[in-house]
């Protein structure tokens, strides 16, 4: 596999979801994205997929990488676990704590909901997060994919107060599955408060806010389950139909993409949450909800793109309409021996890898401070770096471990 392209099919893949990588295909329009194949019970592993849904087909179907929620006006899922404290109550409400603030879940939800929107298009629905008072909105690429490809797709943004506005695409970045759109003719919007995803810890309490299954403004609570996951999204799909809809739609496929550094959460994320907010206990945005791993018709393990990555990408999209990505210059596959890592199959002539002395047959075991357990890790990590950044790569050659500093270049 190329370290700047999706993982090659073959050995390896996500250990937590099965050893067989997904078939090519991607971002289907009418079905939830499922990543990987389940292992035999007990119990069968969950398979990640985009948390999206098709609107006209069936509210609740994932729109192949189109995490769009909404459809039911005013439907808000209130968090019932921790109500607001009552002055007359002898026992105060449980507190949703963070180092920087102490708020109840209801207070955090009330703070963040005005900055989360529903995005409606011809091909599906999803969620988005307000970046500026004059209408810049951050979301997933797969949410706006149809409109960004010049197919005449129209988008409408629905705000927390029920108002709507037409929207246009500012820029998209399929490599990180992020996009920025602009709502037209708006002002005075409540923009999200950006947090720092680098200081997020496993066990931190979080809320996921978006428009799952057509229910705009929905709030779910959970914790950060894991950090620095590598996602390969796209490929084989499976129909997911909510009870009572009694209708099916065939999913469509395109390519896969690999996302590194993802935040894993057990906060319920369903088709329609994609592009929505994952926030900490202070109401600060720490991630953009992007994919789910589930064997059910909705929900399961959720994944979010870290806000630090989203900030870097969105700033470039707003300034230039495109994003510069780092280039290493190796094609890799998963190691098959006792030592986990990524085996270099080919080194591009004149590339940063070649200049640093990496060779075919070298086994990459670490990039920076991140252990490499397969080719996808290399892809995800490289995509998280900037052109011109120097990165230490640890590799094995002839049974000996070596370190080398590689200065990444811009991918042409």
């Amino acid at each position: 596999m190329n370290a700047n392209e999706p993982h090659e099919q073959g050995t390896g893949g996500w250990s937590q979801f099965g050893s067989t990588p997904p078939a090519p295909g991607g971002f289907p329009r009418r079905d939830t994205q499922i990543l990987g194949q389940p292992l035999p019970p007990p119990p069968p592993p969950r398979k990640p997929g985009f948390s999206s849904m098709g609107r006209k087909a069936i509210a609740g179907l994932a729109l192949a990488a189109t995490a769009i929620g909404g459809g039911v006006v005013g439907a808000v899922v209130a968090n019932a676990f921790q109500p607001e404290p009552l002055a007359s109550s002898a026992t105060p409400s449980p507190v949703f704590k963070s180092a920087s603030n102490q708020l109840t879940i209801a207070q955090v939800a009330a703070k963040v909901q005005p900055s989360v929107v529903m995005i409606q298009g011809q091909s599906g629905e999803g969620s988005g997060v307000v970046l500026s008072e004059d209408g810049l909105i951050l979301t997933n690429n797969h949410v706006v994919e149809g409109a960004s490809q010049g197919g005449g797709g129209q988008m409408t943004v629905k705000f927390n107060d029920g108002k709507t506005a037409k929207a246009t695409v500012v820029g998209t970045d399929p490599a990180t599955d992020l996009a920025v759109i602009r709502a037209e003719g708006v002002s005075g919007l409540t923009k999200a408060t950006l947090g720092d995803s680098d200081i997020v810890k496993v066990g931190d309490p979080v809320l996921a806010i978006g428009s799952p299954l057509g229910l705009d403004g929905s709030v779910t609570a959970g914790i950060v389950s894991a950090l620095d996951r590598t996602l390969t999204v796209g490929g084989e799909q499976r129909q997911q139909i909510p009870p009572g809809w009694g209708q099916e739609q065939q999913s469509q496929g395109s390519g896969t993409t690999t996302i590194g550094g993802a935040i894993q959460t057990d906060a319920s994320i369903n088709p329609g949450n994609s592009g929505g907010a994952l926030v900490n206990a202070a109401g600060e945005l720490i991630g953009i909800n992007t994919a789910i791993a589930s064997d059910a018709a909705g929900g399961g393990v959720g994944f979010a793109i870290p806000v630090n990555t989203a900030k870097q990408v969105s700033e470039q999209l707003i300034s230039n309409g495109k994003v510069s990505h780092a280039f290493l210059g190796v094609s890799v596959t998963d190691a098959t021996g006792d030592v986990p890592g990524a085996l270099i199959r080919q080194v591009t002539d004149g590339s940063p890898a070649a200049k640093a002395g990496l060779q075919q047959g070298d086994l990459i075991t670490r990039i920076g401070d991140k252990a490499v357990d397969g080719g996808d890790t290399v892809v995800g990590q490289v995509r998280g770096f900037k052109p011109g950044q120097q990165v230490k790569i640890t590799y094995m050659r002839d049974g000996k471990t070596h370190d080398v500093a590689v200065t990444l270049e811009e991918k042409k």
Side-chain angles (χ1 to χ4, degrees):
M1 66 177 282
N2 188 298
N4 302 89
E5 301 299 335
H7 193 296
E8 293 182 349
Q9 302 298 323
T11 61
W14 279 21
S15 61
Q16 63 267 53
F17 299 120
S19 60
T20 304
F27 312 153
R29 293 292 177 201
R30 303 290 182 184
D31 210 349
T32 300
Q33 297 277 357
I34 303 296
L35 310 180
Q37 297 291 336
L39 294 173
R46 296 180 173 183
K47 295 169 277 185
F50 282 122
S51 46
S52 332
M53 61 171 288
R55 176 167 182 73
K56 289 192 176 179
I58 303 164
L61 293 186
L63 181 67
T66 308
I68 311 165
V72 179
V73 178
V76 178
V77 178
N79 190 295
F81 299 109
Q82 299 186 20
E84 297 280 0
L86 300 177
S88 60
S89 174
T91 304
S93 170
V95 176
F96 195 40
K97 298 179 179 179
S98 78
S100 60
N101 206 347
Q102 291 189 354
L103 301 171
T104 65
I105 289 180
Q107 289 170 331
V108 173
K111 175 183 177 180
V112 178
Q113 280 178 319
S115 63
V116 180
V117 304
M118 179 173 70
I119 302 172
Q120 299 171 307
Q122 291 181 341
S123 58
E125 305 177 339
S127 305
V129 178
V130 176
L131 292 179
S132 70
E133 295 180 358
D134 60 353
L136 289 172
I137 295 169
L138 176 64
T139 185
N140 283 138
N141 172 69
H142 69 259
V143 172
V144 302
E145 192 174 27
S148 66
Q149 291 177 345
Q154 298 295 317
M155 288 182 295
T156 300
V157 173
K158 180 182 177 184
F159 299 96
N160 182 247
D161 60 4
K163 295 180 181 179
T164 62
K166 297 296 183 181
T168 56
V169 176
V170 174
T172 64
D173 184 39
T176 56
D177 193 25
L178 291 168
V180 174
I181 64 174
R182 180 183 289 278
E184 301 173 352
V186 298
S187 62
L189 300 180
T190 301
K191 62 181 182 180
T193 301
L194 304 187
D196 183 358
S197 52
D198 287 344
I199 64 174
V200 172
K201 296 181 176 60
V202 173
D204 282 352
V206 291
L207 296 184
I209 303 177
S211 304
L213 305 177
L215 303 172
D216 57 312
S218 295
V219 178
T220 55
I223 63 169
V224 173
S225 303
L227 296 170
D228 212 14
R229 295 297 197 196
T230 300
L231 309 179
T232 299
V233 291
E236 180 179 325
Q237 302 305 312
R238 178 166 65 176
Q239 294 169 346
Q240 293 190 355
I241 303 172
W245 289 92
Q247 187 178 1
E248 296 184 358
Q249 280 289 332
Q250 183 66 38
S251 64
Q252 302 176 7
S254 57
T256 61
T257 189
T258 300
I259 301 171
I263 299 170
Q264 179 182 326
T265 179
D266 67 349
S268 182
I269 294 176
N270 291 273
N273 271 117
S274 285
L278 187 71
V279 300
N280 62 18
E284 299 168 334
L285 184 71
I286 61 168
I288 298 297
N289 298 321
T290 296
I292 56 175
S294 176
D295 287 326
V301 178
F303 301 91
I305 299 170
V307 71
N308 290 3
T309 298
K311 180 181 178 181
Q312 173 189 330
V313 170
S314 64
E315 288 175 347
Q316 293 185 64
L317 290 176
I318 293 169
S319 299
N320 309 316
K322 61 179 182 178
V323 179
S324 297
H325 288 289
F327 173 66
L328 175 60
V330 295
S331 176
V332 295
T333 189
D334 295 346
T336 57
D338 295 333
V339 179
L343 184 66
I344 297 179
R345 299 180 61 179
Q346 184 178 357
V347 178
T348 303
D349 291 340
S351 67
K355 294 175 183 177
L358 292 174
Q359 300 176 9
Q360 179 181 5
D362 289 346
L363 180 67
I364 299 176
T365 58
R366 183 173 291 272
I367 296 182
D369 59 358
K370 168 70 174 177
V372 172
D373 56 10
D376 275 349
T377 307
V378 175
V379 175
Q381 288 295 108
V382 170
R383 283 183 174 170
F385 295 129
K386 300 178 182 179
Q389 186 171 350
Q390 188 176 80
V391 179
K392 185 178 77 170
I393 293 181
T394 302
Y395 65 96
M396 294 186 67
R397 180 186 298 169
D398 298 327
K400 297 181 180 180
T401 300
H402 306 271
D403 291 329
V404 64
V406 180
T407 301
L408 302 176
E409 299 175 1
E410 182 177 353
K411 182 181 180 182
K412 304 298 183 181

